[in-house]
Amino acid sequence: DLSAVLHTNICASLRRVEQRTEEAYKHAVKAIEANPRYAKAFFRRGVLHYDAGRWEQSFEDFRRAAELEPNLQGLDVWLKRGRHAAREGKSRKNHYRELGLLCDCEQDEVKKKYRQLARECHPDKVRDASMAERTAAEARFKAVNEAHEILGSAATRRTYDFGKNEERDHIHWSSFPQQRRAPFPRGRSAPGANYRGGFRGGFGDNADYSDDEFFFS
């Protein structure tokens, strides 16, 4: 169904743009409504659930995508990520969201974002504010530091994402794609038409989400 493919493409592109994740989610839902058997739509909605910290819903969507298309490229990695997060449950903290990052960001983006937030959220900036504002600032600063402690190291980041058994599963952060949130490039005819995200060359021979193979098949 062309409509399902189009909505999935738009969803993938909007996810990379700050403050537009709700729009991305609406397009994922529309894609599923247009074609309830379109595995890639469930995959994209699962990613958005994961970004938002809805761990169980995320894992369910990944499982549904696997049922519909068992050989969907790269899905096995997200299944591992979703399964681990769902097992940890509601107590699991969303460190990526705390830093305003996507979970498939580059490692150097973690440090860059942390430095920015550490300056912006430092309690000294609200020294003359009310007690409530100072308390909130201190809590925010603590959360940012905690997120950086986990995500700032590739080793602890892998464990956070996949659990302690990730080494056995041969998942390596050095192979992650280079994605950044960014505005749509000028001159695009349609959102998602030239999107090159995913896991190119990342997790084995079946980890290449190119436009033709992932979005338009």
Side-chain angles (χ1 to χ4, degrees), residues 188-200:
R188 248 188 194 172
S189 57
N194 298 311
Y195 176 64
R196 307 297 294 180
F199 297 93
R200 177 167 300 281

Side-chain angles (χ1 to χ4, degrees), residues 1 4-5 41 63 90 100 110 124 142 151 167 170 174 190:
D1 189 299
V5 175
R63 288 179 59 185
K90 295 181 179 179
V110 176
D124 285 349
K142 181 180 179 180
L151 304 180
E167 291 292 344
H170 305 293
S174 60

